[in-house]
Amino acid sequence: MIISSPNPEVFELPDGRLRYIEHLITDSDTLLSRLKTSLNWYQGDVCLFGRNYKTPRLQCWYGDKAYTYSKVRLEPTPWPPLLQQLKNVVEEISGYSFNSVLGNWYQSGQHNMGMHADNEPELGQNPVVAMLTFGTPRPLQFRHRNGQDRFTITPADGSLLLMEGPIQHHWRHGINKSKKITGERISLTFRFIF
Ligand SMILES: O=C(O)CCC(=O)C(=O)O
Ligand SMILES: [Fe+2]
């Protein structure tokens, strides 16, 4: 895995901060195919307003501690070597430690992620989420809970995006469907579970 020299951009939003490194991982094509074949992908369940649905994307989860996401309990799972390597890179660049990762595989523009905040209590006071992107970029929409402020970033193939500060308390984020996008994207979202 080759890392090009990082040059972070910082976006100071009202009540939150994003740190973005556009070109971090240079062999992202190879990594995208390795991630597709080597990880344990499944269509997850989500519970919304008391009803169970299948996630409109594939996902995988690895971590040292159990994690409850959208009311579904994920059990501890050992780190595959490739994810361990990527975690090491993300930790070194960001300066944070992570002990779990949620992977999302959007196989086309028909796959999406609804607006949400990563604010489960076990993620701590001001959760830091570090996200690597591989493949076809998709706009990531941020909406402030005040109903006014909005921000969109389209993380590039091979980029790292850090969500920091109180952002998960004040903002929600998500990925919309798009008829125009046919390519696939994988995001790896590293978290620390207390
Ligand atoms: O794939 C993305 O860009 C968003 C992922 C995300 O928000 C999450 O995993 O919580
Ligand atoms: Fe999220």
Side-chain angles (χ1 to χ4, degrees):
M1 183 177 319
I2 304 158
I3 307 166
S4 61
S5 63
N7 177 24
E9 267 177 88
V10 177
F11 301 94
E12 294 287 354
L13 306 180
D15 310 312
R17 187 157 87 113
L18 298 175
R19 233 194 308 163
Y20 178 57
I21 299 172
E22 187 167 15
H23 303 292
L24 180 66
I25 291 170
T26 55
D27 52 350
S28 52
D29 285 4
T30 321
L31 286 171
L32 177 68
S33 15
R34 287 177 63 199
L35 292 167
K36 280 162 60 176
T37 53
S38 68
L39 303 184
N40 186 15
W41 295 101
Y42 58 93
Q43 205 179 5
D45 297 292
V46 280
C47 180
L48 281 179
F49 306 111
R51 290 186 58 184
N52 286 320
Y53 297 89
K54 289 288 174 198
T55 53
R57 64 190 171 274
L58 298 182
Q59 66 181 53
C60 65
W61 187 83
Y62 295 86
D64 303 333
K65 283 191 174 178
Y67 180 42
T68 305
Y69 180 81
S70 291
K71 305 207 174 139
V72 176
R73 187 180 152 90
L74 304 165
E75 297 300 330
T77 327
W79 291 82
L82 176 57
L83 279 188
Q84 181 69 53
Q85 257 181 298
L86 290 169
K87 179 166 100 79
N88 292 347
V89 169
V90 168
E91 288 181 333
E92 189 176 323
I93 298 294
S94 69
Y96 294 106
S97 303
F98 300 100
N99 60 7
S100 63
V101 65
L102 179 70
N104 305 292
W105 180 3
Y106 308 86
Q107 292 176 305
S108 75
Q110 287 311 297
H111 276 175
N112 69 311
M113 181 174 297
M115 298 300 287
H116 68 280
D118 297 299
N119 57 358
E120 288 80 7
E122 58 266 57
L123 294 176
Q125 179 55 34
N126 279 339
V128 175
V129 177
M131 186 171 80
L132 289 176
T133 289
F134 302 91
T136 307
R138 300 281 297 266
L140 176 62
Q141 317 277 350
F142 286 83
R143 301 269 182 274
H144 197 292
R145 292 184 191 274
N146 65 15
Q148 304 239 312
D149 294 301
R150 289 165 171 237
F151 186 79
T152 303
I153 184 167
T154 305
D157 182 24
S159 68
L160 174 68
L161 180 70
L162 288 166
M163 300 186 233
E164 296 176 297
I167 192 163
Q168 304 296 344
H169 300 294
H170 299 280
W171 293 77
R172 298 189 306 143
H173 57 276
I175 304 260
N176 291 341
K177 283 190 186 180
S178 161
K179 289 210 170 79
K180 283 182 253 159
I181 294 176
T182 52
E184 55 190 349
R185 168 176 181 266
I186 285 179
S187 65
L188 298 177
T189 58
F190 294 87
R191 299 137 195 267
F192 191 90
I193 297 174
F194 288 88

